[in-house]
Each structure stands twice: as structure tokens, then as C-alpha cells.
Amino acid sequence: MRYGFIGSYGSPTQQLRLARACEEHGWDGFFTWDGVSLDAGEFDAGPTWDPFALLGAIAAVTERITLGAMVFAAPRRRPWELAQQVLTVDHLSGGRLVLPVGMGVPIDRAFTSVPEQPEELRDRARLLDDVLAWIERSWSTETFAFEGARIATGDFQFPQAPVNGRIPVWPVGVWDAERPPRRSLDRALRWDGIVPQVRGDSPEGAEPGPDDIAALSRWIAEHRDDAAGPFDIVLQGRLDTDPDVAAEQVRAAEAAGVTWWMESWWDPATVTHEWLIERACQGPPSV
């Protein structure tokens, strides 16, 4: 089990401080998030920051921890620009970047207020597949043209490959044991991991429990070729302040098949940057 920490609140300078605290206190990864202008209603999300600028700065002041965002909204980004941002942070970090990717949240005005941006989930899913396929082609270092369902381009070439040849991609995937949504799950199987969600009305309500993860793990084992390489199951949650209870949470998640625990706190009424620093300095539980 590896442990990530999500920097849900704080200025860019505070995010750098938080990332350093995570590295110093035993966390395995630091993750920011990706939003532009949120129509959040009662949820006061505060200012948003460019995730790649943040991760580039964090890469320069850390040495060990994995870096990413929970999650990158790939469908609203031009793939050639995204490929360049990804490659830059990958090299700045010495190959420590991972790419959790999703459709983007429906309250982001970067979708709803821009006429050419797709709002329908099906359209964003097709665009996500094209963006990922385009970026993967760019890692070959060869000249390529591309034609997908939603994106077509002429020749591009990125002459430098990622540090490790490729960058792990973790798509968001919806899990329903009674009716496994194959399009969402099959997308994850083509890549390197999954950020699982169940159907819920809030971020917390969409978090799967140990039984959901165990059923998903069995499904993945049945449908994925072991020769395809390692596969991560990435769970967002909140560890209890009692170390013994937190250790039990982790043991249950690991037994179900989780490989990354993402410490995820979003309540603006109770969570501040100072609180996140204090929580990070406690470190992950000893199991």
C-alpha cells in the first residue's frame, strides 16, 4: 500500500510547503486538483491554480514522492499542449509524475461556459479516449498524424520520451457490481490503474467501500491480462485520527485490493491549509 495526500486548499506557496511536509513525513505521493472556474453553489471552493505549474514547482523542491492531480480533466485540454505540460513535469521530477484522468466535473465553467466544449458525458468520454491516445502516440518520439473520434491532427513530433518511456495513466472508472459499466471499466483496463467511484450525489457519496473494491478487484482479475503489467487501484478516503482505527481502515482497503490510499479532505467549513499541514505531519499509519 502506498499513501498519497491531496492538497485540497492553500495558495501556491502553501501547496509547496504542504508537499514538502508530505515528503518529510513518510507519504508516498502529493496530488493537487484540476479546476478552472467552479460554479460551486454553497461549496466555497476558493481560488483554483494551474496543476502543472504547481507540480513543476513541487518537482523542484522534492526528491522522492509521486506527483499528480486528483484528477486531471483531460477532455477540456488540447492534447498537444497537455502532452508538452506532462512531459515537462515528468522530466522536472525525474519520472515521478502519474496521470489520474477523468471527464471533468460538471460544475466547471470551463465546460459549461465555453460553447465548443462538450457537456454531454458521452461526448467527453470519447474526447478523453482521443486525448489519451494522442498523448501516448507522442511518447514514441516518432512523427505521427492522428485521427480519432473527436480529434484529428496532422504531423507532430515530440523527440524526447518520458523519463521511464511512458507515464502511468489512472482513469476514473465507475463501479456497479450488478451492472458493470463496460465502457468506463474497459478504458481503465487499457491503461495502468483505476480511480474507482460508485454512483453518488457527492464526492464522499461516490467513494466505494471495501466490499465495492473487493468486487471490483475480482472483476479486474477476471478481465485483465496479467502480462499487461502492474495495475493500481486508487481509493480516496479519510483516515481516522485514532492510529489504531486508521490502521484497520488501511488493512481493510489493502485486503480488498487497494494499492494507493489518497487522503482526501474537502469540507471548506472545517479544512484549512493549516489543518492539512498538521494532518500531513502526522504521516500515514503504521501497519
Side-chain angles (χ1 to χ4, degrees):
M1 175 78 79
R2 285 166 289 180
Y3 302 93
F5 198 99
I6 300 176
S8 45
Y9 296 102
S11 69
T13 300
Q14 290 172 328
Q15 293 285 301
L16 265 65
R17 178 184 172 212
L18 180 58
R20 289 196 298 266
C22 288
E23 181 161 84
E24 291 168 4
H25 291 86
W27 298 88
D28 299 296
F30 178 84
F31 294 78
T32 184
W33 55 284
D34 185 16
V36 177
S37 174
L38 302 184
D39 182 11
E42 295 180 359
F43 177 72
D44 181 12
T48 61
W49 313 109
D50 178 74
F52 289 104
L54 274 179
L55 293 173
I58 291 168
V61 299
T62 58
E63 298 179 354
R64 176 186 58 81
I65 53 175
T66 297
L67 303 176
M70 295 296 287
V71 295
F72 292 110
R76 62 167 163 72
R77 296 177 176 272
R78 295 174 181 264
W80 44 93
E81 295 174 347
L82 179 58
Q84 187 178 52
Q85 292 169 315
V86 165
L87 189 65
T88 301
V89 174
D90 175 70
H91 278 262
L92 276 172
S93 66
R96 291 184 282 133
L97 183 68
V98 296
L99 295 176
V101 293
M103 310 295 183
V105 295
I107 60 170
D108 195 332
R109 293 186 179 93
F111 282 112
T112 61
S113 296
V114 181
E116 64 266 26
Q117 291 281 40
E119 291 189 51
E120 294 296 326
L121 189 61
R122 179 179 299 178
D123 293 333
R124 283 186 282 150
R126 291 172 177 164
L127 190 53
L128 173 61
D129 288 333
D130 277 4
V131 170
L132 293 178
W134 200 102
I135 292 174
E136 186 178 43
R137 289 287 300 277
S138 77
W139 295 338
S140 72
T141 72
E142 299 174 353
T143 300
F144 70 96
F146 183 88
E147 186 165 354
R150 296 293 302 264
I151 294 172
T153 70
D155 288 349
F156 276 85
Q157 183 190 22
F158 289 72
Q160 183 70 56
V163 171
N164 298 312
R166 59 174 287 110
I167 298 169
V169 176
W170 301 339
V172 171
V174 177
W175 174 244
D176 183 333
E178 295 183 2
R179 294 176 298 159
R182 290 301 302 262
R183 185 179 297 273
S184 175
L185 295 170
D186 286 346
R187 175 182 300 109
L189 292 182
R190 292 194 297 270
W191 297 97
D192 309 287
I194 185 170
V195 181
Q197 295 180 347
V198 295
R199 294 182 172 94
D201 296 329
S202 67
E204 291 79 8
E207 291 173 0
D211 290 343
D212 298 311
I213 295 295
L216 172 61
S217 297
R218 291 191 295 270
W219 190 92
I220 291 171
E222 293 171 1
H223 291 84
R224 189 172 188 269
D225 184 355
D226 290 340
F231 190 83
D232 284 304
I233 297 178
V234 184
L235 179 65
Q236 299 180 72
R238 288 155 301 285
L239 293 168
D240 197 273
T241 55
D242 183 322
D244 292 334
V245 176
E248 284 299 321
Q249 287 178 273
V250 168
R251 279 192 283 266
E254 189 170 25
V258 172
T259 63
W260 271 92
W261 177 282
M262 293 291 175
E263 190 72 350
S264 173
W265 297 87
W266 295 99
D267 182 1
T270 59
V271 179
T272 62
H273 168 71
E274 291 73 23
W275 188 94
L276 290 172
I277 285 283
E278 181 179 346
R279 179 66 194 89
C281 289
Q282 295 171 8
S286 299
V287 179

